[in-house]
Amino acid sequence: MKLGAFSISLAVKDLNISKEFYEKLGFTVFAGDLKMNYLIMKNGNALVGLFQGMFPNNILTFNPGWDENANALSSFDDVRKIQTHLKSNNLKLEQETDEKTTGPASIMLTDPDGNQILIDQHV
């Protein structure tokens, strides 16, 4: 199963302070907008999303159909196929997508330790 590009989405208290911190670690702004309260920071293949006031906890994020540069992949496992696989393995999904649709969609589940996992397809 191919989950796509991986990033961690951090719920931050102060976006500007977090931006400066990650810049000191060698990250640069890849996407997002300070005015919209989120930035995607990149260092090589590593991606860190900084989100102020959007969700209460950190989230592990996978993007089927994208590489780490947000380029569309020619071959990938659609989020609906991933959803079917997870459900067939008796994993509980907190958010599902309509399996009859195509294109962008997302699903969400939680690991045994309470970490949220977002599988968010944009293509």
Side-chain angles (χ1 to χ4, degrees), residues 15-76:
L15 186 57
N16 286 307
I17 290 172
S18 293
K19 174 184 179 282
E20 290 175 18
F21 175 84
Y22 282 95
E23 286 174 336
K24 290 176 184 175
L25 288 177
F27 284 80
T28 57
V29 174
F30 176 67
D33 188 336
L34 283 168
K35 295 175 191 164
M36 298 195 60
N37 292 327
Y38 84 97
L39 295 171
I40 308 300
M41 308 289 291
K42 191 169 189 314
N43 180 331
N45 293 336
L47 294 165
V48 176
L50 306 175
F51 297 85
Q52 182 177 328
M54 293 187 174
F55 43 82
N57 299 310
N58 301 332
I59 301 172
L60 303 170
T61 303
F62 297 92
N63 300 112
W66 271 5
D67 69 12
E68 69 274 5
N69 293 307
N71 294 316
L73 299 171
S74 60
S75 175
F76 66 95

Side-chain angles (χ1 to χ4, degrees), residues 59-62 107-111 115-119:
I59 301 172
L60 303 170
T61 303
F62 297 92
I107 59 176
M108 186 173 284
L109 64 156
T110 302
D111 78 8
N115 300 300
Q116 286 192 311
I117 299 169
L118 173 65
I119 302 174

